[in-house]
Amino acid sequence: MSKITPEITPEIVAEHGLTPKEYDLVLSIMGREPNMTELGIFSVMWSEHCSYKSSKRWLKTLPTTADWVICGPGENAGVIDIGDGQAAIFKMESHNHPSFIEPYQGAATGVGGILRDVFTMGARPIANMNALRFGHPDDPHTRHLVSGVVAGIGGYGNCIGVPTVGGETNFDPSYNGNILVNAMTVGIADQDKIFYSAAAGIGNAVVYVGSKTGRDGIHGATMASAEFDNDSQDKRPTVQVGDPFTEKLLLEACLELMATDMIVAIQDMGAAGLTSSSVEMSSKGGVGIELDIDAIPVREDAMTAYEIMLSESQERMLMVIRPDSEDAARAIFEKWELDFAVIGRVTDTNRLVLTEGGSVVADIPVPPLVENAPEYDRPWIPTPPAGEPSPIEFDMTLVEILKKLMASPDLASRRWIWEQYDHMVMGDTVQRPGGDAAVVRVHGSAKGLAITTDCTPRYCVADPVQGGRQAVAEAWRNLTAVGATPLAITDNMNFGNPERPLIMGQFVGCIEGMAEACLALDFPVVSGNVSLYNETNGSGILPTPAIGGVGIITDAAKSMTIGFKNDGDTIILIGETAGHTGASLLRREIGGKTDGAPPNVDLGAERRNGDFVRGQITQGAVTACHDVSDGGLLVAVAEMALAGDMGAELSTPNTVEWLFGEDQGRYVVTVTDPDALVAAARNAGVNTMVIGKSGGKILTVNGGNSISVMELRGAHESWLPDFMAGK
């Protein structure tokens, strides 16, 4: 094989993100010096983004199986049984670095990529979610980033016709130089029509479909595996450009082809593009793949094999099809006005071979490219105990504290965001954004899927183990609060530089806590994503293990909502309250401090309380339900009042800590027969407290503190629009 210039130098190796030891391993695998195309392939496949070399040791400790899990981690998305021969297919994935550099396209292509992960497995997407983290509102870039990201998510999702039904958005200075954009998609498929990515059938055609390949996104995976510096804005060429209208055509064409028996294997071209898709398909199938570079559809002149293999142009898929099916498959894609090109064949060599102009331009053994990818057991140190929180003096009334919290960046209404998303398209959205979880009906049936995303990074930085437990437990609680049986999660592990032992310790701790919660709650991990090196100039983000949860409701029409419904309903608090304020919003927003340990997550109490609440919802005993989380009890009650446009009169312990502490495992419910619920709770070993009644238009606490629902709404809903308007 002739050597392709330029000559491989240590500088070029470093530019490709490989360490000297990793390059020595490349030389050992190849038995010679690689050319530039081969180096590029090793570079992206061994990047943190694709190989998980710092995290896979720990990811293996997460529980991933249950009777209802059809496919756990390792495929494009996770698959769970939802009955009636149907499956829910879902995953969450990050597009953090691209969204910071170019917020509209970064967020838009994040949505496009996660949609492809789901429909490449045969599922029709039915819902999108997102988990967004931005810097401090005072940071000069924050408003621009919020505007671009929200527009990108809405632009892509609205155009492709998949509803964006919820999510979460938070602000913290740690994200000033590195925002987080985590996108989640849920789809539905028949269990006998699920498609996987393992290539098979020696001699079968390897087919490229979708958009043409351009130079956008080259080195995207490598860029996503490095921390930012002052020159990060210069990396715009590594950000992909999305086209949701083409993706809609690709979705329909793929699903039409999937209705036949022509497909052997299929894989979307996401991170690392044609390289990762071809390598993963051949690796999983234990076969080789030979590709003809000249046959690949391109939209720019004089593209090299290196550029074509590393491009992350969007709206593309790679598939292996059955013999004698080329013409029929081509007809489907040409009908949808998409490129369809036979670009190679499956071989028995276990090698990825690229030819151009009749000559071999790359030849790499696939098994060591995947199996010998570096795997690091990085040094880590546990996060030191946070200790007892320092005392805080509160010189505000309870109502003044409530009003300030409800207008704070973390608790203010997200209406400005979700009104830019089409959350009703497809006609199956039962619960739209604003509740504990979205609910989407499974088309043509009574049942529904409940979907949520959640994480509390301030807990994770104070105590990663408790923070990991709480992220999973709150997702479970959100699903339970709408009456759903939680089934499984997808995760998006967003952390700083794993080469720093304290950061690696945060990752290890969060994984430990997540694993404990998943086991205790029968809530396995079926898919996920790891995004490391989220830091700029050595300043890392808060550890953010975002959790996406999915649950099932037998009758979606009977799902529970958070709003007060009736004058005179009794308000009952479920769960124990101690008034824990460490790492709380009360401490940060009112006291100006962030110290103290987060609340303890008693997983036994979580399970006991949640199962009880779900049972009461199923029996029709509950008229409203809301889990207690950020801001504590009084914030939860205020959110129920706003959702129902109805006030309440509360009688509770009169301390700031009791009303705004963030003790876990709690729910607020309203009922018409309080005696029956309290008795049932006593039999189930569940703690309850009657705390008031709903009604009127005023929220009153212990007779002396009151605020109208209208005034509360004004404070709650004005902050984000005012911020985005520059007021």
Side-chain angles (χ1 to χ4, degrees):
M1 184 187 307
S2 60
K3 184 182 294 184
I4 297 177
T5 57
E7 182 181 354
I8 307 300
T9 64
E11 290 75 22
I12 287 177
V13 170
E15 287 172 5
H16 282 74
L18 294 173
T19 67
K21 284 188 177 181
E22 289 171 349
Y23 185 63
D24 286 343
L25 184 55
V26 171
L27 294 176
S28 174
I29 290 169
M30 296 292 287
R32 58 174 172 80
E33 186 179 85
N35 60 44
M36 277 294 291
T37 301
E38 293 165 338
L39 179 67
I41 289 170
F42 273 100
S43 165
V44 293
M45 290 306 300
W46 287 7
S47 68
E48 192 75 61
H49 194 73
C50 291
S51 74
Y52 290 11
K53 55 191 175 186
S54 297
S55 60
K56 55 188 171 184
R57 177 193 169 196
W58 300 102
L59 296 175
K60 294 173 184 175
T61 66
L62 291 170
T64 59
T65 59
D67 291 344
W68 52 90
V69 174
I70 296 172
C71 178
E75 272 293 338
N76 288 288
V79 186
I80 56 173
D81 183 351
I82 59 170
D84 305 310
Q86 293 178 307
I89 298 180
F90 63 99
K91 188 181 181 184
M92 185 189 293
E93 197 158 75
S94 62
H95 234 220
N96 303 336
H97 286 51
S99 298
F100 181 76
I101 296 168
E102 215 306 302
Y104 184 95
Q105 289 296 348
T109 52
V111 174
I114 198 62
L115 282 163
R116 288 194 304 280
D117 278 340
V118 167
F119 74 73
T120 193
M121 297 194 71
R124 178 171 290 279
I126 63 165
N128 290 330
M129 298 279 280
N130 52 72
L132 312 177
R133 262 85 189 180
F134 297 102
H136 194 280
D138 291 340
D139 185 85
H141 301 293
T142 298
R143 187 179 297 110
H144 160 71
L145 292 169
V146 172
S147 177
V149 165
V150 171
I153 291 170
Y156 207 101
N158 296 353
C159 288
I160 200 171
V162 177
T164 301
V165 294
E168 56 172 342
T169 304
N170 294 115
F171 299 84
D172 188 89
S174 74
Y175 306 108
N176 283 354
N178 201 125
I179 64 173
L180 302 184
V181 175
N182 297 168
M184 177 179 173
T185 293
V186 182
I188 300 293
D190 291 336
Q191 291 182 22
D192 59 355
K193 279 289 185 180
I194 297 171
F195 292 81
Y196 299 97
S197 58
I202 306 306
N204 279 347
V206 176
V207 175
Y208 172 118
V209 298
S211 292
K212 289 179 169 60
T213 295
R215 290 189 170 94
D216 51 323
I218 295 173
H219 287 306
T222 308
M223 179 267 290
S225 305
E227 62 182 86
F228 281 158
D229 55 30
N230 292 329
D231 298 323
S232 293
Q233 290 293 339
D234 297 334
K235 295 181 179 179
R236 287 181 186 273
T238 62
V239 178
Q240 311 92 324
V241 177
D243 179 353
F245 299 105
T246 298
E247 179 122 332
K248 173 63 173 174
L249 300 178
L250 183 62
L251 164 64
E252 298 301 338
C254 285
L255 292 180
E256 183 174 338
L257 185 64
M258 287 167 169
T260 72
D261 63 351
M262 299 184 212
I263 297 176
V264 174
I266 183 168
Q267 173 76 40
D268 84 294
M269 295 190 211
L274 191 50
T275 288
S276 66
S277 55
S278 57
V279 169
E280 288 174 13
M281 292 178 79
S282 57
S283 172
K284 289 175 182 175
V287 296
I289 285 182
E290 183 172 322
L291 301 180
D292 179 2
I293 296 296
D294 296 323
I296 296 169
V298 295
R299 64 169 182 260
E300 299 184 42
D301 294 334
M303 288 189 69
T304 65
Y306 177 97
E307 292 173 323
I308 289 170
M309 292 302 293
L310 270 61
S311 167
E312 293 185 7
S313 294
Q314 297 293 285
E315 293 86 42
R316 303 178 301 158
M317 309 284 269
L318 193 66
M319 60 181 70
V320 175
I321 60 175
R322 298 191 187 282
D324 304 319
S325 61
E326 292 176 20
D327 292 342
R330 184 188 304 276
I332 290 174
F333 282 87
E334 289 182 348
K335 181 186 78 172
W336 290 98
E337 300 181 346
L338 295 167
D339 275 292
F340 178 100
V342 177
I343 64 170
R345 300 282 170 186
V346 177
T347 70
D348 61 0
T349 64
N350 281 332
R351 301 182 78 85
L352 176 66
V353 178
L354 311 180
T355 63
E356 186 175 28
S359 299
V360 174
V361 294
D363 185 350
I364 303 175
V366 170
L369 181 62
V370 177
E371 296 163 11
N372 290 8
E375 181 172 346
Y376 294 120
D377 182 7
R378 296 202 184 275
W380 62 277
I381 56 175
T383 298
E388 291 297 317
S390 57
I392 295 177
E393 294 294 329
F394 300 104
D395 58 358
M396 303 166 66
T397 67
L398 295 176
V399 165
E400 288 170 341
I401 292 173
L402 175 64
K403 187 175 178 180
K404 184 172 181 179
L405 283 175
M406 294 296 285
S408 67
D410 269 20
L411 290 179
S413 170
R414 302 305 190 234
R415 182 183 297 275
W416 182 91
I417 293 175
W418 57 256
E419 282 188 340
Q420 298 184 53
Y421 304 152
D422 188 339
H423 43 269
M424 299 303 292
V425 66
M426 300 178 76
D428 283 318
T429 303
V430 176
Q431 282 201 44
R432 57 188 72 186
D436 282 324
V439 178
V440 179
R441 185 181 295 105
V442 176
H443 193 73
S445 74
K447 67 188 175 189
L449 293 181
I451 312 164
T452 188
T453 59
D454 227 308
C455 181
T456 311
R458 66 181 186 278
Y459 293 172
C460 296
V461 73
D463 185 334
V465 177
Q466 291 288 0
R469 285 184 195 141
Q470 193 273 342
V472 172
E474 186 166 350
W476 189 87
R477 206 182 310 139
N478 287 339
L479 299 175
T480 293
V482 299
T485 300
L487 294 177
I489 68 170
T490 181
D491 59 50
N492 209 140
M493 308 295 291
N494 306 275
F495 290 78
N497 186 341
E499 297 167 43
R500 294 167 53 196
L502 185 60
I503 299 296
M504 196 65 215
Q506 292 174 345
F507 183 90
V508 172
C510 285
I511 288 282
E512 178 185 337
M514 288 168 57
E516 292 172 355
C518 289
L519 286 170
L521 301 174
D522 286 334
F523 205 28
V525 181
V526 296
S527 60
N529 174 250
V530 177
S531 176
L532 302 177
Y533 295 96
N534 287 290
E535 53 184 79
T536 299
N537 294 327
S539 179
I541 63 165
L542 295 181
T544 311
I547 303 297
V550 174
I552 187 78
I553 303 178
T554 304
D555 186 349
K558 296 181 179 178
S559 66
M560 186 51 55
T561 58
I562 73 172
F564 290 146
K565 307 295 189 306
N566 311 303
D567 280 341
D569 279 359
T570 300
I571 305 170
I572 299 178
L573 172 63
I574 309 288
E576 296 276 0
T577 300
H580 187 98
T581 63
S584 66
L585 282 183
L586 172 75
R587 173 165 291 273
R588 191 184 76 189
E589 297 295 325
I590 308 301
K593 298 181 179 182
T594 59
D595 62 326
N600 179 61
V601 180
D602 181 336
L603 293 169
E606 283 282 0
R607 183 65 184 262
R608 185 168 57 252
N609 295 350
D611 287 349
F612 172 76
V613 167
R614 190 183 315 106
Q616 293 297 304
I617 292 173
T618 301
Q619 293 169 27
V622 172
T623 56
C625 180
H626 189 20
D627 84 301
V628 181
S629 55
D630 291 343
L633 171 65
L634 195 51
V635 165
V637 171
E639 289 170 342
M640 298 175 81
L642 290 173
D645 194 29
M646 181 180 293
E649 186 163 338
L650 302 183
S651 178
T652 70
N654 205 36
T655 67
V656 171
E657 292 80 5
W658 202 92
L659 287 164
F660 296 102
E662 296 180 4
D663 305 275
Q664 297 295 294
R666 297 185 297 163
Y667 303 79
V668 176
V669 299
T670 57
V671 297
T672 57
D673 186 351
D675 292 341
L677 185 136
V678 169
R682 187 181 305 113
N683 290 336
V686 170
N687 184 270
T688 61
M689 177 183 288
V690 174
I691 60 171
K693 288 188 178 295
S694 59
K697 296 293 183 180
I698 305 292
L699 177 60
T700 302
V701 185
N702 298 326
N705 294 272
S706 63
I707 184 171
S708 71
V709 174
M710 181 181 296
E711 183 182 355
L712 193 61
R713 189 180 308 282
H716 184 56
E717 295 200 350
S718 63
W719 180 82
L720 190 51
D722 287 351
F723 168 67
M724 295 308 297
K727 294 181 181 179

